Amino acid sequence: MCSAASPEVAWTNLPGDLFEGVETAAPAPPLVDAPPEVSCGGPRAFSRARGVEPLVMRGLASHWPATARWANRGAIASLSADGDDPVLVLRSKDEDRFLKRDCDHELWPLAHVCTHLEGGHGAPIYARAPLTERVRADCDLLVFAELMGQQPKLANCGLWLGSAGNITPFHYDLCHGFLVQLVGRKTFHFVEPEQWRCLYPREHSPELASLDFERWRGARGAEAERLERQRHARFARARVHSVTLEPGDVLYTPPYWWHHVETSPSGPAASVLVPFDQSDAERAVHNVCHHFS
């Protein structure tokens, strides 16, 4: 594995009582420093980021056979050779935003998913396929076992395939996550856990934000933007950290970090997700964003 020094980035924590008082419409939050990056990455750089902040490992998977094999147009379609086993397909009710809890669930043959994505026609979809033996043979999962000090649970790993322009709204996960970008480009926007009030967590699903980031920044029109900023004025106080992944890049996301994900409109994307459960010691640490209620 390559190694490099991780640049210093200041992450600002906001006091818990900062948001008390009357809410008013506010300007959009600034997009500030991107998460720390390293070239390829290594245990030393990762040990500083583990459980603390996201880390971008540029080119860590650039040597994977999957990255080279899937570099050309039609790469996703080649997955159909793995057979017609059904895979989970999420269908967004608004044909735009994809959260598992909010979507319709269907089972499609993998070949159908691949044809749909490569054709670029029809309603957008987001699909999760298991890591077949052929896919695993093209991916060096050992690198994550070395970083985490344990083997990943293959049943929890998956290949995520999404249409161009897909959006996954702000949410957080309870696991350590490594996302390997293989096809297409994805942009991540992060907000740190201590700023959970800025995201307006849903009452019965605190891991999901009520905030609509697309409306906030004007992507749904001026009136929708005005109303969203009135409803969720605290988001103006959030610090948003953004990064775009290219094929071969790996992104580490710690538990509880809020993230909003956009697939480039230029084409479909394929990513491998390798999650790891928190240790008992990590779970024992009180985290306000998950236990705020």
Side-chain angles (χ1 to χ4, degrees):
M1 296 174 61
C2 304
S3 61
S6 176
E8 295 296 326
V9 175
W11 303 92
T12 300
N13 297 330
L14 298 185
D17 60 353
L18 181 63
F19 307 123
E20 295 179 357
V22 178
E23 298 182 6
T24 58
L31 296 181
V32 295
D33 295 328
E37 295 188 12
V38 293
S39 177
C40 290
R44 183 176 299 178
F46 175 72
S47 66
R48 292 193 292 267
R50 177 172 176 167
V52 176
E53 61 189 359
L55 180 69
V56 182
M57 292 169 271
R58 294 290 186 191
L60 182 62
S62 60
H63 69 287
W64 287 16
T67 307
R69 191 189 310 277
W70 297 3
N72 300 319
R73 178 72 178 171
I76 291 179
S78 69
L79 292 171
S80 61
D82 284 323
D84 290 336
D85 289 342
V87 299
L88 173 66
V89 172
L90 304 182
R91 298 290 298 269
S92 172
K93 292 179 172 61
D94 63 5
E95 297 192 355
D96 186 9
R97 293 169 293 183
F98 290 83
L99 281 172
K100 190 174 181 179
R101 182 182 294 269
D102 297 341
C103 289
D104 294 325
H105 298 184
E106 300 178 4
L107 292 177
W108 290 16
L110 180 57
H112 186 185
V113 171
C114 297
T115 301
H116 185 93
L117 291 175
E118 288 290 359
H121 305 296
I125 62 171
Y126 209 4
R128 182 194 186 277
L131 294 186
T132 64
E133 288 188 16
R134 189 167 74 89
V135 173
R136 291 201 304 271
D138 285 346
C139 301
D140 181 14
L141 300 186
L142 179 61
V143 65
F144 305 120
E146 293 174 347
L147 290 175
M148 292 295 296
Q150 60 180 299
Q151 292 293 329
K153 298 177 182 178
L154 293 180
N156 295 340
C157 301
L159 175 65
W160 284 93
L161 308 164
S163 300
N166 276 5
I167 293 170
T168 301
F170 271 115
H171 67 286
Y172 68 80
D173 302 309
L174 299 179
C175 60
H176 300 273
F178 294 90
L179 184 133
V180 185
Q181 193 63 26
L182 295 177
V183 177
R185 303 167 75 235
K186 284 185 177 179
T187 297
F188 282 70
H189 304 288
F190 287 101
V191 173
E192 58 203 81
E194 290 79 5
Q195 294 190 307
W196 58 267
R197 290 178 178 85
C198 299
L199 280 300
Y200 296 81
R202 299 187 192 179
E203 182 178 359
H204 300 295
S205 301
E207 75 281 8
L208 307 179
S210 296
L211 170 86
D212 188 324
F213 189 44
E214 299 304 303
R215 289 175 178 269
W216 177 278
R217 59 183 180 174
R220 303 288 185 257
E223 180 61 13
E225 177 184 1
R226 183 186 68 81
L227 293 175
E228 183 65 18
R229 293 189 183 190
Q230 285 183 340
R231 293 190 190 106
H232 300 123
R234 289 197 301 259
F235 189 62
R237 303 178 185 272
R239 288 173 56 85
V240 181
H241 309 265
S242 302
V243 65
T244 297
L245 301 182
E246 305 284 348
D249 291 341
V250 175
L251 174 65
Y252 164 70
T253 301
Y256 307 110
W257 272 78
W258 296 89
H259 48 288
H260 175 284
V261 189
E262 306 163 5
T263 298
S264 170
S266 62
S271 309
V272 168
L273 180 62
V274 184
F276 288 85
D277 293 334
Q278 297 181 72
S279 67
D280 291 340
E282 289 169 330
R283 282 192 293 267
V285 175
H286 175 74
N287 192 291
V288 68
C289 76
H290 191 60
H291 303 288
F292 74 93
S293 58

